[in-house]
């Protein structure tokens, strides 16, 4: 599907989504754990950041390609959204205009959309926070947009440096945004569960006073690198 990146004038009405239970469970583990568990891939650029704090969401991606300074395709995309989706938007060339505000958020909320991830700008951020509509964006800008140029809906896009296919799972929290391929959700979730269990065990050991040096067996490798322990600077012989 990556050969379709950048194609305009198309709306794909039927996309495959991962099972709702799998999607929802991923949100509980968080972006950092999922990113590590799936081989440190799928993480959007850190410039795509949350306009709010303390929010964790997951959902199936409805992808939108927009023209610079033009938010027409947002309105087209709303019709294609289902409850629990996340709208993922990228411009066809870099733009930080405020594509999205409280009115579009009201429309998305009415259709059960959980969040917006956009590689561009948004505005009305105070109202969006008051509404409780989560947004991860590249910029905040009061600059408005027009409605003139066609883009696409539910074709592959590049957002925050990552390929996002419609139906991929989006997980977002205070740490950023990670994409899980739809056809990899089951194995990624299993790997994430295992990693979360290991992290919990390590946290208990650290809380009891054990050192990371011993839990992670770091001492032999540090010695190989030449790390020395001395009790007095006189031992340096300088």
């Amino acid at each position: 599907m990556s050969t379709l990146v950048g194609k305009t004038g198309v709306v794909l009405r039927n996309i495959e989504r991962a099972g709702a239970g799998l999607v929802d469970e991923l949100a509980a583990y968080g972006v950092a754990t999922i990113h590590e568990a799936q081989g440190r891939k799928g993480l959007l650029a850190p410039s795509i950041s949350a306009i709010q704090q303390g929010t964790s969401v997951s959902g199936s991606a409805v992808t939108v390609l927009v023209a610079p300074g033009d938010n027409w395709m947002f309105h087209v995309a709303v019709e294609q959204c289902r409850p629990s989706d996340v709208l993922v938007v990228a411009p066809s060339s870099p733009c930080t205009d405020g594509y999205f505000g409280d009115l579009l958020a009201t429309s998305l909320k009415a259709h059960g959309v959980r969040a917006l991830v956009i590689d561009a700008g948004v505005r009305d951020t105070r109202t969006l926070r008051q509404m409780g509509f989560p947004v991860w964006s590249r910029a905040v800008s009061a600059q408005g947009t027009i409605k003139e140029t066609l883009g696409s809906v539910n074709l592959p896009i590049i957002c925050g440096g990552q390929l996002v296919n419609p139906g991929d799972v989006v997980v977002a929290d205070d740490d950023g945004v990670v994409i899980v391929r739809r056809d990899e959700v089951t194995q990624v979730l299993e790997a994430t569960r295992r990693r979360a269990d290991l992290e919990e065990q390590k946290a208990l050991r650290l809380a009891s006073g054990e050192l990371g040096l011993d839990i992670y067996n770091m001492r032999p490798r540090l010695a190989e690198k030449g790390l020395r322990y001395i009790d007095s600077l006189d031992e340096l012989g300088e």
Side-chain angles (χ1 to χ4, degrees):
M1 294 183 69
S2 60
T3 58
L4 298 174
V5 172
K7 188 173 182 62
T8 60
V10 176
V11 176
L12 180 61
R13 291 185 291 191
N14 299 307
I15 65 171
E16 293 187 49
R17 294 167 169 83
L22 303 179
V23 173
D24 290 346
E25 186 178 348
L26 281 169
Y29 293 109
V31 169
T33 300
I34 294 167
H35 176 237
E36 296 286 352
Q38 69 172 356
R40 305 186 74 186
K41 67 180 184 179
L43 190 65
L44 269 59
S47 53
I48 311 296
S49 60
I51 68 164
Q52 68 287 307
Q53 293 292 304
T55 299
S56 179
V57 301
S58 61
S60 296
V62 169
T63 56
V64 187
L65 180 71
V66 294
D70 192 313
N71 77 346
W72 204 6
M73 298 308 292
F74 272 87
H75 296 272
V76 176
V78 173
E79 185 179 27
Q80 305 306 317
C81 291
R82 297 181 186 174
S84 303
D85 284 344
V86 171
L87 205 65
V88 183
V89 182
S92 55
S93 60
C95 183
T96 57
D97 291 351
Y99 281 81
F100 181 90
D102 60 338
L103 294 179
L104 275 168
T106 298
S107 183
L108 288 177
K109 283 193 72 172
H111 288 80
V113 176
R114 287 179 171 173
L116 168 72
V117 175
I118 179 170
D119 198 349
V122 298
R123 58 185 185 175
D124 303 328
T125 54
R126 180 174 66 177
T127 305
L128 291 173
R129 287 190 289 271
Q130 290 171 344
M131 291 173 62
F133 188 83
V135 172
W136 284 258
S137 70
R138 179 174 292 276
V140 173
S141 173
Q143 177 66 49
T145 55
I146 61 172
K147 297 169 179 61
E148 182 64 33
T149 307
L150 293 181
S152 66
V153 177
N154 281 333
L155 294 186
I157 60 173
I158 302 297
C159 182
Q162 293 290 332
L163 175 67
V164 185
N165 290 300
D168 284 348
V169 178
V170 184
V171 184
D173 60 21
D174 291 348
D175 290 339
V177 183
V178 69
I179 304 299
V180 179
R181 302 283 175 246
R182 182 187 58 78
D183 58 359
E184 298 177 358
V185 168
T186 300
Q187 54 264 46
V188 169
L189 184 53
E190 290 173 354
T192 301
R193 289 169 180 154
R194 290 194 297 269
R195 184 175 183 88
D197 287 343
L198 286 172
E199 289 179 346
E200 183 176 359
Q201 294 170 21
K202 290 173 183 175
L204 291 172
R205 293 175 67 182
L206 289 166
S208 72
E210 283 193 67
L211 294 171
L213 286 170
D214 299 314
I215 292 173
Y216 297 103
N217 195 29
M218 293 177 176
R219 297 185 191 277
R221 292 191 62 228
L222 288 168
E224 288 177 10
K225 296 286 186 180
L227 184 66
R228 296 169 56 194
Y229 287 85
I230 62 174
D231 296 313
S232 168
L233 290 178
D234 294 336
E235 295 179 45
L236 293 177
E238 298 178 358

